[in-house]
Tab-separated table of all heavy atoms in Angstrom:
chain	number	residue	atom	x	y	z
N	1481	PHE	N	34.648	65.946	-29.935
N	1481	PHE	CA	33.716	66.682	-30.794
N	1481	PHE	C	32.281	66.275	-30.492
N	1481	PHE	O	32.014	65.137	-30.104
N	1481	PHE	CB	34.005	66.420	-32.282
N	1481	PHE	CG	35.365	66.869	-32.726
N	1481	PHE	CD1	36.404	65.963	-32.840
N	1481	PHE	CD2	35.614	68.213	-33.003
N	1481	PHE	CE1	37.666	66.374	-33.244
N	1481	PHE	CE2	36.865	68.628	-33.398
N	1481	PHE	CZ	37.892	67.712	-33.519
N	1482	THR	N	31.379	67.222	-30.688
N	1482	THR	CA	29.950	66.948	-30.576
N	1482	THR	C	29.391	66.672	-31.963
N	1482	THR	O	29.626	67.450	-32.891
N	1482	THR	CB	29.211	68.151	-29.952
N	1482	THR	OG1	29.698	68.366	-28.622
N	1482	THR	CG2	27.711	67.888	-29.895
N	1483	GLN	N	28.669	65.561	-32.105
N	1483	GLN	CA	28.062	65.172	-33.375
N	1483	GLN	C	26.599	65.618	-33.375
N	1483	GLN	O	25.875	65.361	-32.413
N	1483	GLN	CB	28.128	63.653	-33.565
N	1483	GLN	CG	29.492	63.041	-33.328
N	1483	GLN	CD	30.462	63.324	-34.452
N	1483	GLN	OE1	30.048	63.558	-35.588
N	1483	GLN	NE2	31.748	63.285	-34.155
N	1484	VAL	N	26.184	66.260	-34.464
N	1484	VAL	CA	24.800	66.728	-34.589
N	1484	VAL	C	24.238	66.263	-35.931
N	1484	VAL	O	24.889	66.402	-36.967
N	1484	VAL	CB	24.703	68.264	-34.494
N	1484	VAL	CG1	23.254	68.725	-34.650
N	1484	VAL	CG2	25.267	68.759	-33.161
N	1485	TYR	N	23.025	65.713	-35.894
N	1485	TYR	CA	22.328	65.281	-37.107
N	1485	TYR	C	20.972	65.981	-37.165
N	1485	TYR	O	20.206	65.922	-36.193
N	1485	TYR	CB	22.113	63.769	-37.112
N	1485	TYR	CG	23.395	62.969	-37.190
N	1485	TYR	CD1	24.157	62.736	-36.043
N	1485	TYR	CD2	23.850	62.459	-38.398
N	1485	TYR	CE1	25.340	62.005	-36.105
N	1485	TYR	CE2	25.031	61.735	-38.473
N	1485	TYR	CZ	25.765	61.506	-37.322
N	1485	TYR	OH	26.937	60.796	-37.392
N	1486	LEU	N	20.689	66.612	-38.283
N	1486	LEU	CA	19.404	67.275	-38.507
N	1486	LEU	C	18.795	66.677	-39.765
N	1486	LEU	O	19.337	66.826	-40.862
N	1486	LEU	CB	19.601	68.784	-38.669
N	1486	LEU	CG	18.337	69.605	-38.988
N	1486	LEU	CD1	17.354	69.522	-37.819
N	1486	LEU	CD2	18.705	71.064	-39.269
N	1487	GLY	N	17.674	65.971	-39.609
N	1487	GLY	CA	17.070	65.279	-40.746
N	1487	GLY	C	15.606	65.607	-40.913
N	1487	GLY	O	14.932	66.057	-39.974
N	1488	PHE	N	15.092	65.342	-42.132
N	1488	PHE	CA	13.699	65.596	-42.461
N	1488	PHE	C	13.192	64.487	-43.381
N	1488	PHE	O	13.970	63.823	-44.072
N	1488	PHE	CB	13.530	66.940	-43.180
N	1488	PHE	CG	14.061	68.120	-42.437
N	1488	PHE	CD1	15.391	68.500	-42.569
N	1488	PHE	CD2	13.237	68.863	-41.602
N	1488	PHE	CE1	15.884	69.602	-41.884
N	1488	PHE	CE2	13.722	69.966	-40.913
N	1488	PHE	CZ	15.047	70.337	-41.058
N	1489	LYS	N	11.889	64.326	-43.432
N	1489	LYS	CA	11.286	63.374	-44.350
N	1489	LYS	C	11.477	63.858	-45.785
N	1489	LYS	O	11.294	65.036	-46.084
N	1489	LYS	CB	9.794	63.220	-44.050
N	1489	LYS	CG	9.091	62.232	-44.965
N	1489	LYS	CD	7.604	62.157	-44.646
N	1489	LYS	CE	6.895	61.195	-45.589
N	1489	LYS	NZ	5.432	61.124	-45.307
N	1490	SER	N	11.837	62.926	-46.688
N	1490	SER	CA	12.041	63.279	-48.089
N	1490	SER	C	11.376	62.227	-48.972
N	1490	SER	O	10.515	61.473	-48.519
N	1490	SER	CB	13.533	63.403	-48.411
N	1490	SER	OG	14.179	62.155	-48.276
N	1491	ALA	N	11.786	62.160	-50.232
N	1491	ALA	CA	11.140	61.290	-51.205
N	1491	ALA	C	11.634	59.856	-51.095
N	1491	ALA	O	12.805	59.601	-50.804
N	1491	ALA	CB	11.395	61.808	-52.620
N	1492	GLY	N	10.741	58.913	-51.349
N	1492	GLY	CA	11.097	57.505	-51.402
N	1492	GLY	C	11.680	57.134	-52.756
N	1492	GLY	O	11.692	57.929	-53.694
N	1493	ILE	N	12.116	55.901	-52.867
N	1493	ILE	CA	12.815	55.448	-54.056
N	1493	ILE	C	11.915	55.432	-55.286
N	1493	ILE	O	12.388	55.549	-56.424
N	1493	ILE	CB	13.412	54.031	-53.812
N	1493	ILE	CG1	14.448	53.686	-54.882
N	1493	ILE	CG2	12.314	52.992	-53.765
N	1493	ILE	CD1	15.739	54.398	-54.730
N	1494	ASN	N	10.603	55.325	-55.090
N	1494	ASN	CA	9.690	55.234	-56.223
N	1494	ASN	C	9.148	56.588	-56.674
N	1494	ASN	O	8.447	56.663	-57.679
N	1494	ASN	CB	8.515	54.307	-55.872
N	1494	ASN	CG	8.962	52.873	-55.644
N	1494	ASN	OD1	9.802	52.358	-56.379
N	1494	ASN	ND2	8.417	52.232	-54.613
N	1495	ASP	N	9.444	57.636	-55.945
N	1495	ASP	CA	9.012	58.985	-56.325
N	1495	ASP	C	10.108	59.594	-57.192
N	1495	ASP	O	10.924	60.398	-56.724
N	1495	ASP	CB	8.761	59.826	-55.078
N	1495	ASP	CG	8.057	61.143	-55.389
N	1495	ASP	OD1	8.043	61.544	-56.579
N	1495	ASP	OD2	7.529	61.774	-54.455
N	1496	GLU	N	10.129	59.229	-58.486
N	1496	GLU	CA	11.273	59.538	-59.336
N	1496	GLU	C	11.493	61.043	-59.511
N	1496	GLU	O	12.632	61.510	-59.481
N	1496	GLU	CB	11.102	58.861	-60.700
N	1496	GLU	CG	11.158	57.343	-60.627
N	1496	GLU	CD	11.013	56.702	-61.984
N	1496	GLU	OE1	10.706	57.430	-62.946
N	1496	GLU	OE2	11.211	55.477	-62.088
N	1497	ARG	N	10.424	61.798	-59.681
N	1497	ARG	CA	10.595	63.233	-59.925
N	1497	ARG	C	11.267	63.911	-58.746
N	1497	ARG	O	12.254	64.636	-58.911
N	1497	ARG	CB	9.232	63.880	-60.199
N	1497	ARG	CG	9.314	65.381	-60.503
N	1497	ARG	CD	7.933	65.990	-60.625
N	1497	ARG	NE	7.176	65.887	-59.392
N	1497	ARG	CZ	7.313	66.730	-58.358
N	1497	ARG	NH1	8.202	67.727	-58.424
N	1497	ARG	NH2	6.575	66.596	-57.270
N	1498	ARG	N	10.767	63.673	-57.537
N	1498	ARG	CA	11.339	64.309	-56.355
N	1498	ARG	C	12.676	63.678	-55.976
N	1498	ARG	O	13.546	64.356	-55.413
N	1498	ARG	CB	10.349	64.216	-55.193
N	1498	ARG	CG	9.068	65.001	-55.427
N	1498	ARG	CD	8.001	64.666	-54.398
N	1498	ARG	NE	8.430	65.023	-53.056
N	1498	ARG	CZ	8.276	64.222	-51.999
N	1498	ARG	NH1	7.768	63.018	-52.134
N	1498	ARG	NH2	8.657	64.623	-50.806
N	1499	LEU	N	12.838	62.395	-56.291
N	1499	LEU	CA	14.073	61.696	-55.932
N	1499	LEU	C	15.290	62.358	-56.582
N	1499	LEU	O	16.314	62.582	-55.925
N	1499	LEU	CB	13.988	60.231	-56.355
N	1499	LEU	CG	15.207	59.363	-56.054
N	1499	LEU	CD1	15.427	59.249	-54.555
N	1499	LEU	CD2	15.036	57.983	-56.671
N	1500	TYR	N	15.182	62.698	-57.857
N	1500	TYR	CA	16.305	63.317	-58.555
N	1500	TYR	C	16.539	64.751	-58.071
N	1500	TYR	O	17.678	65.226	-58.069
N	1500	TYR	CB	16.074	63.284	-60.065
N	1500	TYR	CG	16.285	61.917	-60.656
N	1500	TYR	CD1	15.218	61.026	-60.796
N	1500	TYR	CD2	17.549	61.473	-61.042
N	1500	TYR	CE1	15.404	59.751	-61.316
N	1500	TYR	CE2	17.745	60.208	-61.561
N	1500	TYR	CZ	16.662	59.345	-61.690
N	1500	TYR	OH	16.855	58.083	-62.205
N	1501	ALA	N	15.476	65.423	-57.657
N	1501	ALA	CA	15.646	66.767	-57.103
N	1501	ALA	C	16.419	66.710	-55.788
N	1501	ALA	O	17.317	67.523	-55.535
N	1501	ALA	CB	14.282	67.423	-56.888
N	1502	TYR	N	16.108	65.727	-54.948
N	1502	TYR	CA	16.817	65.591	-53.674
N	1502	TYR	C	18.265	65.132	-53.881
N	1502	TYR	O	19.156	65.554	-53.147
N	1502	TYR	CB	16.077	64.614	-52.758
N	1502	TYR	CG	14.910	65.239	-52.046
N	1502	TYR	CD1	13.603	64.838	-52.306
N	1502	TYR	CD2	15.104	66.254	-51.115
N	1502	TYR	CE1	12.531	65.421	-51.656
N	1502	TYR	CE2	14.037	66.846	-50.458
N	1502	TYR	CZ	12.746	66.425	-50.736
N	1502	TYR	OH	11.680	67.014	-50.097
N	1503	ALA	N	18.482	64.287	-54.884
N	1503	ALA	CA	19.851	63.860	-55.170
N	1503	ALA	C	20.695	65.054	-55.612
N	1503	ALA	O	21.862	65.192	-55.215
N	1503	ALA	CB	19.845	62.786	-56.255
N	1504	THR	N	20.106	65.944	-56.416
N	1504	THR	CA	20.822	67.143	-56.854
N	1504	THR	C	21.030	68.102	-55.686
N	1504	THR	O	22.089	68.725	-55.564
N	1504	THR	CB	20.054	67.845	-57.988
N	1504	THR	OG1	19.751	66.904	-59.026
N	1504	THR	CG2	20.872	68.987	-58.564
N	1505	LEU	N	20.025	68.201	-54.813
N	1505	LEU	CA	20.157	69.055	-53.629
N	1505	LEU	C	21.295	68.564	-52.740
N	1505	LEU	O	22.051	69.367	-52.187
N	1505	LEU	CB	18.842	69.072	-52.850
N	1505	LEU	CG	18.841	69.823	-51.514
N	1505	LEU	CD1	19.212	71.295	-51.710
N	1505	LEU	CD2	17.481	69.693	-50.832
N	1506	GLN	N	21.435	67.251	-52.609
N	1506	GLN	CA	22.534	66.707	-51.812
N	1506	GLN	C	23.885	67.110	-52.402
N	1506	GLN	O	24.810	67.474	-51.674
N	1506	GLN	CB	22.428	65.187	-51.738
N	1506	GLN	CG	23.515	64.555	-50.870
N	1506	GLN	CD	23.504	63.043	-50.938
N	1506	GLN	OE1	22.796	62.444	-51.748
N	1506	GLN	NE2	24.296	62.414	-50.075
N	1507	MET	N	24.024	67.054	-53.732
N	1507	MET	CA	25.266	67.470	-54.380
N	1507	MET	C	25.491	68.966	-54.220
N	1507	MET	O	26.617	69.427	-54.041
N	1507	MET	CB	25.230	67.109	-55.864
N	1507	MET	CG	25.294	65.638	-56.184
N	1507	MET	SD	26.895	64.888	-55.778
N	1507	MET	CE	26.450	63.981	-54.299
N	1508	LEU	N	24.399	69.728	-54.291
N	1508	LEU	CA	24.489	71.187	-54.170
N	1508	LEU	C	25.033	71.580	-52.800
N	1508	LEU	O	25.922	72.439	-52.687
N	1508	LEU	CB	23.119	71.812	-54.397
N	1508	LEU	CG	23.027	73.335	-54.267
N	1508	LEU	CD1	23.647	74.021	-55.475
N	1508	LEU	CD2	21.569	73.772	-54.117
N	1509	LEU	N	24.501	70.954	-51.745
N	1509	LEU	CA	24.974	71.249	-50.391
N	1509	LEU	C	26.359	70.643	-50.172
N	1509	LEU	O	27.246	71.291	-49.625
N	1509	LEU	CB	23.983	70.712	-49.362
N	1509	LEU	CG	22.616	71.403	-49.317
N	1509	LEU	CD1	21.688	70.675	-48.349
N	1509	LEU	CD2	22.756	72.868	-48.927
N	1510	GLY	N	26.522	69.374	-50.592
N	1510	GLY	CA	27.836	68.737	-50.539
N	1510	GLY	C	28.397	68.669	-49.134
N	1510	GLY	O	27.778	68.172	-48.214
N	1511	GLY	N	29.620	69.205	-48.984
N	1511	GLY	CA	30.274	69.212	-47.686
N	1511	GLY	C	31.297	68.105	-47.536
N	1511	GLY	O	31.605	67.370	-48.470
N	1512	GLY	N	31.833	68.008	-46.330
N	1512	GLY	CA	32.867	67.025	-46.035
N	1512	GLY	C	33.549	67.372	-44.731
N	1512	GLY	O	32.944	67.926	-43.816
N	1513	GLY	N	34.857	67.088	-44.649
N	1513	GLY	CA	35.630	67.373	-43.450
N	1513	GLY	C	36.305	68.726	-43.527
N	1513	GLY	O	36.363	69.358	-44.588
N	1514	SER	N	36.806	69.187	-42.386
N	1514	SER	CA	37.444	70.502	-42.344
N	1514	SER	C	38.750	70.530	-43.121
N	1514	SER	O	39.220	71.580	-43.536
N	1514	SER	CB	37.710	70.918	-40.896
N	1514	SER	OG	38.566	69.979	-40.254
N	1515	PHE	N	39.341	69.338	-43.341
N	1515	PHE	CA	40.556	69.264	-44.144
N	1515	PHE	C	40.330	68.351	-45.334
N	1515	PHE	O	39.752	67.278	-45.208
N	1515	PHE	CB	41.739	68.717	-43.342
N	1515	PHE	CG	42.963	68.462	-44.197
N	1515	PHE	CD1	43.789	69.505	-44.574
N	1515	PHE	CD2	43.245	67.186	-44.650
N	1515	PHE	CE1	44.892	69.276	-45.379
N	1515	PHE	CE2	44.359	66.941	-45.453
N	1515	PHE	CZ	45.184	68.001	-45.816
N	1516	SER	N	40.762	68.790	-46.506
N	1516	SER	CA	40.682	67.958	-47.696
N	1516	SER	C	41.855	68.297	-48.589
N	1516	SER	O	42.262	69.456	-48.693
N	1516	SER	CB	39.368	68.184	-48.446
N	1516	SER	OG	39.368	67.470	-49.661
N	1517	ALA	N	42.387	67.272	-49.250
N	1517	ALA	CA	43.499	67.497	-50.175
N	1517	ALA	C	43.036	68.174	-51.459
N	1517	ALA	O	43.846	68.555	-52.295
N	1517	ALA	CB	44.177	66.168	-50.509
N	1518	GLY	N	41.698	68.324	-51.607
N	1518	GLY	CA	41.179	68.992	-52.800
N	1518	GLY	C	41.268	68.104	-54.029
N	1518	GLY	O	41.268	66.889	-53.936
């Protein structure tokens, strides 16, 4: 398999307002492996 990583600059640990927005965005996108027991 070919591994691909696409990243961008985001909020630091002390930027509380943006930090929680990015944490929610991570949950929103989510993802995982092609197989999951659900």
Side-chain angles (χ1 to χ4, degrees):
F1481 298 99
T1482 297
Q1483 311 286 335
V1484 179
Y1485 294 81
L1486 177 64
F1488 304 87
K1489 180 182 178 181
S1490 65
I1493 195 74
N1494 295 319
D1495 191 344
E1496 293 181 351
R1497 182 186 62 81
R1498 295 168 62 225
L1499 180 64
Y1500 285 92
Y1502 279 114
T1504 308
L1505 175 59
Q1506 182 187 9
M1507 291 292 105
L1508 178 74
L1509 292 174
S1514 60
F1515 173 79
S1516 174

